[in-house]
Amino acid sequence: MATLVNWFGWLLALAMIGVTVLLALNKQSGLKLIQHRIDMLPQAMLVRYAGLTVLAVVASWFGAPRVLFGLLIAIAVISLGDTYIYRRAGHPFWLHLAIGGAAAFGAFLSLFAMN
């Protein structure tokens, strides 16, 4: 069963890479493919943050440093990516930078908890 779950994880990762590349190359086609609308993004982001929160609570509750490592790396990528986007556009970005840095530091610390 563990092998099947692992394969499912790899398939999901490949699908997400495909969507990411499509969104990077053609935002309109990517949004259409994943059935998202720009005017609905604030609500969609709310759900994404809630999902990340649930993952953080569950991983912390179970004391799963490997899961926390993955979550913190994902948050660092998201926050530092937003930092780049907002900084380039001339908008405030310091909160994103601070969260991304804190998440990266937490991920680094979680490496020591894995042993």
Side-chain angles (χ1 to χ4, degrees):
M1 184 60 88
T3 302
L4 179 63
V5 171
N6 196 39
W7 277 105
F8 183 77
W10 282 111
L11 287 172
L12 178 62
L14 288 172
M16 296 297 287
I17 289 169
V19 169
T20 302
V21 169
L22 181 57
L23 283 166
L25 298 177
N26 188 326
K27 179 176 61 173
Q28 295 299 79
S29 294
L31 288 172
K32 184 176 180 181
L33 173 71
I34 61 174
Q35 298 179 347
H36 277 279
R37 298 171 41 101
I38 289 179
D39 59 318
M40 302 297 289
L41 285 180
Q43 294 96 321
M45 286 180 63
L46 169 68
V47 176
R48 300 305 178 277
Y49 277 97
L52 289 171
T53 301
V54 168
L55 183 57
V57 168
V58 169
S60 297
W61 186 309
F62 289 127
R66 292 177 192 271
V67 177
L68 283 169
F69 174 79
L71 172 67
L72 290 167
I73 288 294
I75 290 173
V77 168
I78 292 166
S79 297
L80 296 174
D82 285 352
T83 298
Y84 174 75
I85 291 166
Y86 286 115
R87 168 80 168 82
R88 191 176 62 181
H91 298 300
F93 63 91
W94 291 107
L95 180 60
H96 289 95
L97 181 61
I99 297 297
F105 181 69
F108 175 74
L109 290 178
S110 71
L111 290 173
F112 296 103
M114 286 188 214
N115 296 327

